[in-house]
Amino acid sequence: VKRAVAYLHQNYDRSIARWELAEAVGVSEDYLSRVFHREIGISPWDYLNRYRIYHAKELLRLTTDSISAIAQQVGFQDQKYFSRVFRKLTGVGPKEFRERPEVEKL
């Protein structure tokens, strides 16, 4: 699981296939998903999305890059999906997060 987390941290900004992560760690896809969920409590993909959103919050706070550009920088190819995941994990959309100083910024 530590190797999987390290791999996700190093490659979060690009598309990662399930087989690719399993191959990088040296186990089967199903085994990786099972062990990851048992150890961390969420799937590798939920973990990856949370890690991506953590970085997106930093970029929204520290840069003036567009939301679309930030979505791409943290590994989301689709801005609408990025906004949906962002809202699900933070309770607000990326635009509102950037505009409202009272929103928790990390």
Side-chain angles (χ1 to χ4, degrees):
V1 172
K2 287 180 185 176
R3 289 195 329 225
V5 167
Y7 188 86
L8 292 173
H9 284 205
Q10 292 168 355
N11 297 284
Y12 75 93
D13 58 347
R14 64 178 189 79
S15 180
I16 302 171
R18 188 173 181 234
W19 66 265
E20 179 186 358
L21 178 59
E23 187 176 282
V25 177
V27 297
S28 76
E29 295 173 27
D30 290 340
Y31 180 76
L32 174 62
S33 293
R34 208 170 38 251
V35 171
F36 199 99
H37 194 277
R38 186 174 63 227
E39 294 285 321
I40 297 186
I42 56 175
S43 75
W45 312 115
D46 284 341
Y47 181 89
L48 178 59
N49 277 342
R50 289 176 190 207
Y51 192 71
R52 286 174 167 168
I53 296 304
Y54 169 81
H55 282 282
K57 286 165 62 177
E58 280 275 288
L59 292 170
L60 286 165
R61 191 168 63 83
L62 300 174
T63 73
T64 58
D65 293 351
S66 71
I67 291 170
S68 178
I70 289 172
Q72 295 246 328
Q73 288 173 48
V74 298
F76 287 93
Q77 303 308 311
D78 180 349
Q79 182 185 337
K80 288 181 181 179
Y81 180 63
F82 165 72
S83 293
R84 209 166 41 245
V85 171
F86 193 98
R87 181 176 300 280
K88 179 182 174 192
L89 294 176
T90 67
V92 295
K95 184 177 180 200
E96 185 179 3
F97 180 86
R98 175 177 268 167
E99 292 173 352
R100 291 184 38 208
E102 69 272 13
V103 173
E104 180 264 326
K105 301 270 188 186
L106 293 176

